[in-house]
Amino acid sequence: MLPSIPLPKDVIRPPETVLVNITPQETRVAILEENNICELHIERNSGHGLVGNIYLGIVRRVLPGMQSAFIDIGLERAAFLHIVDVLEQRQNPDETQRIEHMLFEGQSVLVQVIKDPINSKGARLSTQISLAGRFLVHLPQDDHIGISQRIEDEDERNNLRDRLLSLLPENASHGYIIRTSAETATLAELQADIDYLTKVWENIQHQAKTKPPETLLYQDLPLSLRVLRDMFSDNTREILVDSKENHTRMMQMAEQYVQNAVDKIHLFKGDRPLFETHNIEQEISRALQPRVNLTFGSYLIIESTEAMTTIDVNTGGFVGARNFDETIFRTNLEACHAIARELRLRNLGGIIIIDFIDMAQDSHREAVLQELAKALSFDRTRVTLNGFTSLGLVELTRKRTRENLSQILCEPCPTCQGRGQLKTPQTVCYEIQREIVREARRYDAQHFRILAAPNVIDLFLDEESQSLAMLIDFIGKPISLAVETTYTQEQYDIVLL
């Protein structure tokens, strides 16, 4: 197993511009760094993201062999709870717990979604509840005080802990995680966060006692307001919103909870749509393509499967002014920043394998790794970089919490069923002939009729006419052809008359 490479934490992030596009059907948020889109968040009214939602679930099945359980929370598919996400196990990680000793079928249990349903997998749950505020994350079942890992200065960490403890009762039984944004928060702002989160938890507890199972007890803020809670920072230059109603709501939240954002939230009044003005629509279309063009003719090929994502770096037509090694080195360095940006923009998660162009010099390989680590450090999502394997591939993992961009915007092609390729008309012709031979042996039909797409029928009438005549002689029955214009290239029917 390769050792992980630490990502630098002292990099200077470029200023961000946040674009909030709202329609009656969906909300889209684009984050721009130096006028380049690096993140895109989409929330549709027909299918809100579930992460952060708290439900009163009911246990449907306990699987001791997998140390997991299926919990019904009122969704189309049962959600999944693993032993590592059960509160008792997380509080006592050194003690081996058994899920069958904690849960039983028919039991009501308070759970929170930590991963959205992806493809055929149901939502992933935890029984450890956390409620995110502007500066704090409330842990109502724990008494732990944690601090964001992004705050590295030990004196600052101790100062923040002391400030928070000064606001809590001496016998406080609830825990908190101090977020990075709390570095500049006043005591009054921290107290307001505590009061707000306490009221939210009290309301959840009250509902849990009075509501039936499979009930949603708490829903996270809509995307337009999560922008202020989760994405706004001192590095945010401007937030542009194209909806008057939502601009008002964001201003109200900012005045109450995020006062330093008030002067940065602006209502967009351009003649052209907000995303079109900043070329976001074009960038979204480009992000759905496997090829990403770099400068000077080099490019990336990004291919995602359910198991992993592979990224191939190619020089293309790029020929450097110096020697070949230098050309390869420069291409790989440029690819580092493009790869980091594409991971964020497409929201690719799980295992990611990068095939950089082979480099002969160890110093070049080390420099590429350091450049990639620097580029990945801008990511809000947790990334683990593991370096080069013995095959010269770079391994990394990126936490997956929601569907990637193509899963949100696209569906498998109904013609090729997501394979990305079709059988040739000749292949389909030969399949049809083999099936006719099988059917002729099974049934005593007087006549066979082939229904197929126009290009398949054309092939039977032209290049494959001789093979069709031989087939007719072989089975001793006539075969007629009929064009079905609605059929795909691979679709056909054989009718027995």
Side-chain angles (χ1 to χ4, degrees), residues 436-493:
I436 287 178
V437 171
R438 288 195 300 270
E439 296 298 312
R441 289 172 176 171
R442 293 175 61 192
Y443 303 104
D444 186 22
Q446 299 303 309
H447 185 105
F448 291 89
R449 176 171 295 164
I450 299 172
L451 309 178
N455 50 353
V456 175
I457 298 298
D458 289 344
L459 202 61
F460 270 125
L461 294 173
D462 188 11
E463 297 175 30
E464 298 299 329
S465 59
Q466 185 175 355
S467 64
L468 180 62
M470 292 172 62
L471 177 61
I472 292 172
D473 289 341
F474 180 75
I475 65 174
K477 303 290 174 61
I479 299 174
S480 60
L481 305 173
V483 172
E484 285 289 342
T485 56
T486 59
Y487 279 19
T488 65
Q489 186 165 295
E490 294 186 352
Q491 188 178 359
Y492 64 86
D493 284 306

Side-chain angles (χ1 to χ4, degrees), residues 147-163:
I147 301 175
S148 168
Q149 294 181 353
R150 291 183 179 271
I151 303 174
E152 292 187 299
D153 185 85
E154 197 60 36
D155 291 337
E156 179 64 19
R157 293 173 68 88
N158 291 333
N159 178 49
L160 285 170
R161 183 181 287 106
D162 292 341
R163 292 173 65 199

Side-chain angles (χ1 to χ4, degrees), residues 135-136 156 158-168 178 181-196 256-257 259:
F135 305 107
L136 304 170
E156 179 64 19
N158 291 333
N159 178 49
L160 285 170
R161 183 181 287 106
D162 292 341
R163 292 173 65 199
L164 177 59
L165 289 173
S166 70
L167 299 174
L168 301 177
I178 301 173
S181 56
E183 286 185 286
T184 57
T186 65
L187 288 175
E189 288 173 328
L190 290 175
Q191 185 63 61
D193 230 22
I194 293 171
D195 294 342
Y196 167 72
Q256 188 171 1
Y257 296 109
Q259 294 183 354

Side-chain angles (χ1 to χ4, degrees), residues 30 68 76 92 130 170 190 284 337 358 381 434 461 468:
S68 59
E76 181 180 351
N92 303 284
S130 63
E170 289 186 9
L190 290 175
I284 294 174
H337 294 275
D358 290 340
T381 302
R434 286 193 294 270
L461 294 173
L468 180 62

